[in-house]
Amino acid sequence: MGDTTAPCVSEAPYAVPTGVALLTDNGEFRAKFNRTDFLFDHGLAGHPLFELPALAELANRIPKFRDFVYWQNGRVNVNDKWDANPAPRLSLEETIHGIAHNDSLVILKHAEQDPLYGPVLQEILQRIYSFTSPAAQADIVLGESLIFLNSPGRKTAYHLDLESNFLLQIAGEKLVHVFDCADRSLTTDVELENHCGGNHNGAIYKPEREGDAHFYHLTPGHGVHFPSMGPHWVQNGEQLSISININFDLKSIHHRMKRIYRVNRLIRRLGLEPCAPGKSPMKDALKDKMWLGVSAVLNSVRTAVKGRDESMAYPAWRPAPVARVNGAQPV
Ligand SMILES: [Fe+2]
């Protein structure tokens, strides 16, 4: 007799690769994690779990909290905003059903908590975590997954993420354009202040810098890593594209740098020029503490006005400690 409290999901009639068949350490995760972009291979190319019928069922199961499911209808340009919706708005069901021809993007988040998808996505998260260096592992706070469905020929507009990204191509092709995460002449401190302040369109595309991008032609079975704050945009190929994005939140970014940029945004609004993160440890520490105080007050006010945000109580994947024996690298 099974667990009668578990959600009703279809039984997967196929084997999902595990262990090294799912993801192998190519030696670059340790040296390059969150420093620079690199390619890797995985074992989920064309897997039925990531085909449309199964993904449509997943979309039905995902809790409909704010930001758990996102979709955009109509073609966008590289410099468009996330809230652009240039075609008539379709329902999520209509969008997924017709994604092969309706010029849309669907993002399904937190599938790592789904009973059917959770085991494979959590194994990817843990394997990537175990491939990274001890310093990186100490910095990783939590991980999450996003599944992207893109209509043929569609672009994903230029943006950056604070999370450290691993993009795994499952079906179709993508040309991924990735820029240097540390280049402040490309992504200015003002852009990062805006992004950290909640503007997901904070990064501004600069066509004259296109030549500085690294290009990755992703086909099924291949993936690319790009660090937090590495701006990117994507040109999807001529077939439906399905990919998985594995993200990691980092203490150094989400618990520190983000707070400093938020305080700097306030300082700039007062007409002053703030000191960028990393230039003065003393000022950084002061701003970190300041934002902790400010955010405690803001959160109290928000909860009092709007009530508790249920999505904040949703489970998050957190890494299991990696055992090391005589310095051996775990897998
Ligand atoms: Fe992204």
Side-chain angles (χ1 to χ4, degrees):
M1 196 72 171
D3 177 3
T4 54
T5 62
C8 179
V9 294
S10 307
E11 284 297 317
Y14 28 73
V16 179
T18 57
V20 293
L22 177 61
L23 193 70
T24 311
D25 187 0
N26 63 5
E28 301 212 278
F29 293 83
R30 186 180 177 90
K32 295 185 177 177
F33 174 78
N34 219 42
R35 293 176 184 273
T36 188
D37 33 275
F38 65 88
L39 284 168
F40 59 92
D41 297 333
H42 66 85
L44 286 173
H47 196 280
L49 195 57
F50 297 93
E51 289 182 349
L52 279 186
L55 292 171
E57 288 186 29
L58 170 67
N60 279 333
R61 289 196 301 274
I62 287 182
K64 300 304 181 289
F65 292 128
R66 184 173 57 90
D67 294 337
F68 276 42
V69 177
Y70 168 91
W71 69 101
Q72 186 181 50
N73 302 119
R75 289 206 175 195
V76 296
N77 292 314
V78 62
N79 55 354
D80 274 340
K81 309 300 182 196
W82 280 109
D83 49 4
N85 210 73
R89 185 72 168 159
L90 303 174
S91 70
L92 176 61
E93 191 177 8
E94 289 169 331
T95 303
I96 294 177
H97 182 71
I99 192 125
H101 53 75
N102 62 16
D103 291 332
S104 297
L105 161 68
V106 175
I107 304 178
L108 305 175
K109 301 182 184 179
H110 300 295
E112 78 284 349
Q113 301 300 331
D114 181 77
L116 196 56
Y117 288 76
V120 63
L121 293 173
Q122 292 196 17
E123 183 174 342
I124 295 174
L125 281 156
Q126 184 66 30
R127 288 187 72 77
I128 292 176
Y129 171 81
S130 73
F131 297 159
T132 62
S133 69
Q137 290 171 9
D139 200 22
I140 291 172
V141 185
L142 56 83
E144 60 186 8
S145 67
L146 298 83
I147 299 176
F148 295 147
L149 292 76
N150 271 286
S151 294
R154 203 174 184 283
K155 289 184 174 70
T156 302
Y158 181 87
H159 67 283
L160 61 82
D161 306 295
L162 294 184
E163 295 78 17
S164 193
N165 287 259
F166 291 83
L167 181 65
L168 287 70
Q169 191 67 15
I170 307 296
E173 299 182 4
K174 283 181 189 290
L175 184 60
V176 184
H177 304 232
V178 184
F179 297 82
D180 184 354
C181 62
D183 185 346
R184 290 294 155 267
S185 71
L186 173 70
T187 309
T188 66
D189 286 315
V190 173
E191 289 174 45
L192 287 169
E193 287 163 20
N194 289 334
H195 184 94
C196 292
N199 178 1
H200 294 297
N201 300 306
I204 308 295
Y205 180 63
K206 299 162 187 75
E208 69 277 12
R209 299 294 302 270
E210 184 58 39
D212 294 334
H214 294 173
F215 303 96
Y216 293 97
H217 181 196
L218 282 191
T219 54
H222 303 289
V224 63
H225 166 65
F226 40 94
S228 18
M229 300 184 292
H232 49 281
W233 71 274
V234 181
Q235 172 67 62
N236 289 281
E238 292 309 310
Q239 292 147 355
L240 169 66
S241 167
I242 295 174
S243 48
I244 303 169
N245 201 40
I246 296 290
N247 287 338
F248 293 98
D249 285 15
L250 307 173
K251 274 183 212 159
S252 58
I253 303 293
H254 293 78
H255 288 190
R256 187 166 173 87
M257 188 210 74
K258 187 175 177 180
R259 293 176 191 149
I260 296 166
Y261 270 126
R262 283 181 159 178
V263 173
N264 282 359
R265 190 180 191 219
L266 297 178
I267 292 172
R268 198 178 296 280
R269 284 180 170 180
L270 294 173
L272 303 170
E273 180 67 28
C275 177
K279 298 264 171 65
S280 164
M282 191 183 73
K283 288 179 181 173
D284 285 353
L286 184 64
K287 290 171 185 172
D288 190 21
K289 283 197 170 60
M290 271 177 66
W291 188 260
L292 275 174
V294 169
S295 61
V297 173
L298 290 177
N299 287 338
S300 300
V301 171
R302 195 177 295 124
T303 303
V305 173
K306 293 186 173 177
R308 189 172 158 74
D309 182 353
E310 292 298 323
S311 67
M312 298 303 286
Y314 197 69
W317 177 88
R318 294 182 192 278
V322 175
R324 283 194 169 76
V325 179
N326 297 327
Q329 269 301 292
V331 290

